Amino acid sequence: MTVQKFTWTSALALLFGLCAQSNPSGAEPLRGNTGDSEADFNWGLSAINAQKAHDAGFTGKGVNVGVLDSGIDPEHPEFKGRLSGFSYDTAIGGGPVTGDSEGHGTGVSGIIAAGRDGAGLMGIAYNARITAVAYEDIDDRPISEAYAFLHSQQISVINNSWGLPYSILDLSPEDVEQAYPKTLQAMREMSADGGVSVFAASNDRQEGTTVFEGLPLLFPELENSWLNVVALGTPNSLASYPAECGVSARWCLAAPGGDGENVEGEYVGPNFIETTAPGGGYQRTLGTSFAAPHVTGALAVTREIFRDADMRDLRKLILHTAVDLGDPGIDAVFGWGRLDLGNAVDTIAPRGRSIYAGAAFNRQLSMEQVSRLPFGPLTRAARLKQLWTAGDLAAARIAASAGLPQTIARSRAFAAGVDLLEREGLTAGLGLAYTRGSTGEGGTANTARANGLHAFGYGDWRSGAWYARGAAGVSHFRQKHTRRTIPGLAGTVLELGNPAAQSATDAWGVFASAEAGRDVDLGFAGMALFGRFTGAAQSYRGALESGLEVLGYEQHSGRMAAAQVGPGVRFSRSFSAGSWTVSPELELSYARALGTNDHIVKTALLGREMEASTTVLGRDIFGVGAALKFEDRQRGLTASIGYTGSFRDNANRHGVQLGLSVKF
């Protein structure tokens, strides 16, 4: 089949509804719902949730977008200061674009980047820059020249609201190669270097997917840089005129293009797309030509968010965050679904990566547990050589805050040790411990689990009423993270598949605790006044998530340290119960937190560096503890059960300890 060449007016005016339309029906035009009159002028911005990007400060600033079209009105106030110094008019073999006799390119550019100046309307990426390339014919030479020019200017996203009226199913690769050899070469080079081409689908439903938007069907190497866009007549329904995604479904999505009733060859009704027109004014229009620039504008915004990302990954991001429409999953009508810029912005929400910080907090909790286990719930008296075991169940909670979920950390610890040195007033030994830590988050299905192995030494010294004891050791953790609640996937095709992003890494730690004080005999009870230090430091390797393609986070390697120091008082009293001596104890303490207080872990998504953190914790910590010790000197047995709790701003911790020692 021979592919013929078409002029601008014959191929575009007929196919893509270029002419501005009036609204003879008198119906009130559809508007957005944000309450911002400039943003609501074009209802398409509300339909794709562009306000979320704008509220977050993402406006396409610093991004240059290529528009291959009929030209642009360089004097239009909506483009003041944001037309790039580069442009290209293929009709004169290069040189600046000086106007737009058709009005089509000006309208397309307005949807992408009309300015936010308090008047008229604004574009999706209202701080982006436009590089306009004008051409009259859909011909091999002008299109290839346009692509080559934009490639040379390192522009990585191109809007193509044009096409040919041939179904891709009626063509072979040889047909296209013969008709457009230079164009294909230029497009391949652009694609290989990471450029993304956004195409408007046909406005004729009978034609289906036509030549250029369907090229990846014949040339699969283009698919990872290609997007085809069909038009929505309302936020959730296909317009009456456009082709469906069809065979391009894998690289297709839907965006607002407007709709109306065809009355004697003219569309009338309230659902037009409002955009810029030559001469400084505005026009009402419709067509897939004006759906495509909604996607292009969204890509410009995501380029600002992820400046170091491969543009082809941002293309995937736009598809993966689209809201599913029609049949569940990728379908032949809507492809991936409706463009949703709000979802794309949500991918960097802090709640999406906070589990990494929660996991670091849990590792710290486990090391603190182990450092105190050699001494039972609260105390451990000097004694003859003995074997001992101890267990601890701890749970800590960090409160939710703006943008961050509640962190719930639990750790189970089991330790065993043996006294190796016993002298007058001095006991020392070695021990091993295993911990199992689990972290969850309120309102999410994100979790982390860590298995920890710990080796430590300990000592207990007494001289008269004075005493000191301490422990120090090293730890290794095998840490796993699983994220099942992924911001940015609300209502998407991916969400239907219950996605999970998983990663694993190793962490090492050192920990120490020390307590020194003096016993005081009150007559009716014993009292100890003491000072206590507890500290832990950790170093962890980086981790890269799998299972979620472009939305997988990278955790960077890092270190953190935290410590607590402060005074306390402990009361105790002993009494006999048969052969057992029973000793209840009560402890009150205060500590000041030093070092890490929000457990920051550095992460990255698509090259954007971001910190994962928990809610910032208070540095003043108030502790309470209670214990019962049972000792049978004849049998050489000592058992204990205790509770410890600590309370600070935005967090609390509770623990239950069990201990058993046997003399030999």
Side-chain angles (χ1 to χ4, degrees):
M1 176 178 182
T2 302
V3 181
Q4 299 177 2
K5 314 298 174 64
F6 278 75
T7 65
W8 172 266
T9 52
S10 65
L12 287 118
L14 292 177
L15 290 178
F16 295 113
L18 305 184
C19 301
Q21 305 289 339
S22 61
N23 188 12
S25 68
E28 188 66 25
L30 186 64
R31 298 296 188 205
N33 56 15
T34 69
D36 181 331
S37 61
E38 195 174 3
D40 291 343
F41 204 80
N42 171 18
W43 62 269
L45 272 66
S46 287
I48 67 168
N49 291 318
Q51 185 183 21
K52 182 168 285 188
H54 301 157
D55 289 346
F58 300 121
T59 62
K61 187 175 182 180
V63 181
N64 201 340
V65 177
V67 177
L68 273 67
D69 222 292
S70 60
I72 196 168
D73 177 3
E75 303 301 321
H76 201 296
E78 293 288 3
F79 303 123
K80 184 177 181 181
R82 286 177 306 97
L83 295 179
S84 78
F86 306 103
S87 61
Y88 194 92
D89 190 336
T90 64
I92 59 175
V97 176
T98 58
D100 179 11
S101 60
E102 299 289 342
H104 189 264
T106 300
V108 165
S109 298
I111 292 168
I112 297 170
R116 188 167 194 171
D117 55 7
L121 52 80
M122 69 190 208
I124 296 160
Y126 57 79
N127 275 326
R129 296 174 69 81
I130 294 289
T131 293
V133 175
Y135 62 97
E136 292 184 354
D137 298 333
I138 303 179
D139 200 316
D140 190 39
R141 184 191 63 79
I143 299 301
S144 62
E145 282 183 13
Y147 262 79
F149 168 75
L150 291 168
H151 189 198
S152 71
Q153 301 304 320
Q154 298 182 325
I155 293 170
S156 57
V157 56
I158 305 174
N159 192 87
N160 302 272
S161 290
W162 51 269
L164 291 174
Y166 298 114
S167 170
I168 193 70
L169 297 176
D170 295 334
L171 302 174
S172 68
E174 292 74 21
D175 291 332
V176 181
E177 287 273 15
Q178 182 178 3
Y180 290 93
K182 294 181 180 179
T183 295
L184 276 177
Q185 180 62 28
M187 288 177 170
R188 283 170 169 152
E189 291 177 0
M190 189 83 174
S191 175
D193 284 348
V196 171
S197 298
V198 181
F199 277 87
S202 169
N203 277 340
D204 185 344
R205 187 162 293 182
Q206 300 303 313
E207 287 177 344
T209 304
T210 57
V211 179
F212 284 101
E213 67 264 25
L215 275 183
L217 189 67
L218 302 181
F219 306 98
E221 69 273 17
L222 296 177
E223 182 176 335
N224 68 353
S225 63
W226 228 250
L227 288 172
N228 183 27
V229 185
V230 299
L232 295 173
T234 67
N236 291 309
S237 62
L238 199 68
S240 58
Y241 51 85
E244 299 172 351
C245 288
V247 295
S248 71
R250 291 195 312 271
W251 59 91
C252 185
L253 74 166
D259 205 353
E261 182 183 359
N262 192 325
V263 178
E264 296 181 355
E266 185 176 76
Y267 282 103
V268 298
N271 289 9
F272 289 102
I273 293 295
E274 306 269 7
T275 188
T276 45
Y282 303 94
Q283 59 178 315
R284 290 177 177 172
T285 189
L286 56 81
T288 56
S289 283
F290 306 99
H294 283 82
V295 173
T296 304
L299 278 167
V301 171
T302 59
R303 165 51 91 200
E304 180 189 5
I305 299 172
F306 301 104
R307 291 196 178 276
D308 295 325
D310 188 311
M311 201 70 204
R312 292 165 294 192
D313 285 337
L314 299 185
R315 165 200 168 272
K316 290 180 182 177
L317 178 72
I318 288 295
L319 292 174
H320 292 180
T321 56
V323 173
D324 189 36
L325 297 178
D327 294 336
I330 302 171
D331 65 78
V333 177
F334 299 100
W336 286 79
R338 186 193 70 232
L339 171 69
D340 195 310
L341 185 54
N343 266 352
V345 173
D346 267 349
T347 61
I348 64 169
R351 67 185 185 278
R353 57 187 177 272
S354 55
I355 192 65
Y356 290 104
F361 170 73
N362 200 324
R363 295 193 296 266
Q364 177 187 322
L365 175 68
S366 294
M367 288 189 285
E368 290 177 356
Q369 276 182 299
V370 174
S371 71
R372 297 189 184 188
L373 280 176
F375 307 106
L378 298 173
T379 65
R380 188 170 189 264
R383 64 257 184 238
L384 296 175
K385 290 183 180 180
Q386 59 183 325
L387 293 170
W388 59 270
T389 62
D392 186 287
L393 301 175
R397 179 189 62 84
I398 299 177
S401 61
L404 291 171
Q406 180 186 71
T407 300
I408 303 165
R410 296 182 175 89
S411 182
R412 293 169 287 175
F414 175 81
V418 59
D419 296 342
L420 298 177
L421 174 66
E422 192 278 319
R423 294 180 181 176
E424 185 65 29
L426 176 64
T427 303
L430 297 174
L432 297 173
Y434 167 78
T435 58
R436 173 73 169 176
S438 61
T439 309
E441 295 182 325
T444 81
N446 298 335
T447 59
R449 298 186 183 277
N451 292 313
L453 296 175
H454 316 264
F456 55 88
Y458 59 88
D460 190 328
W461 170 85
R462 288 181 179 273
S463 178
W466 294 96
Y467 74 92
R469 58 174 172 259
V474 295
S475 303
H476 174 263
F477 296 92
R478 183 57 176 169
Q479 179 75 65
K480 295 183 178 180
H481 312 91
T482 302
R483 294 191 306 126
R484 296 185 183 276
T485 302
I486 316 293
L489 296 187
T492 65
V493 169
L494 291 185
E495 187 184 47
L496 296 174
N498 297 314
Q502 297 180 314
S503 63
T505 187
D506 292 289
W508 293 264
V510 295
F511 59 86
S513 68
E515 180 180 311
R518 180 178 175 84
D519 292 329
V520 179
D521 187 354
L522 299 178
F524 63 90
M527 180 178 71
L529 300 173
F530 62 85
R532 178 184 291 151
F533 166 86
T534 303
Q538 56 180 294
S539 174
Y540 47 88
R541 284 181 175 173
L544 183 62
E545 285 185 334
S546 61
L548 203 57
E549 206 169 350
V550 296
L551 292 179
Y553 266 93
E554 178 183 2
Q555 175 194 275
H556 296 318
S557 59
R559 298 176 180 177
M560 64 176 62
Q564 303 170 13
V565 61
V569 59
R570 183 165 47 246
F571 300 94
S572 62
R573 184 176 181 178
S574 299
F575 60 88
S576 297
S579 63
W580 293 90
T581 298
V582 182
S583 303
E585 296 178 342
L586 175 67
E587 178 182 292
L588 301 173
S589 64
Y590 165 80
R592 179 72 175 174
L594 309 172
T596 299
N597 213 38
D598 49 6
H599 307 90
I600 290 176
V601 175
K602 295 187 180 300
T603 65
L605 178 65
L606 289 171
R608 181 184 176 90
E609 301 290 334
M610 295 174 284
E611 292 181 340
S613 66
T614 63
T615 299
V616 177
L617 308 183
R619 292 196 176 272
D620 296 308
I621 305 170
F622 298 92
V624 60
L628 276 176
K629 295 180 66 176
F630 304 88
E631 185 176 13
D632 187 332
R633 294 182 182 274
Q634 294 180 354
R635 296 184 177 89
L637 297 176
T638 302
S640 59
I641 182 171
Y643 162 81
T644 56
S646 62
F647 306 88
R648 61 203 294 191
D649 285 345
N650 295 323
N652 56 58
R653 176 188 182 278
H654 304 277
V656 176
Q657 301 85 32
L658 301 172
L660 176 67
S661 62
V662 181
K663 294 181 181 179
F664 64 95

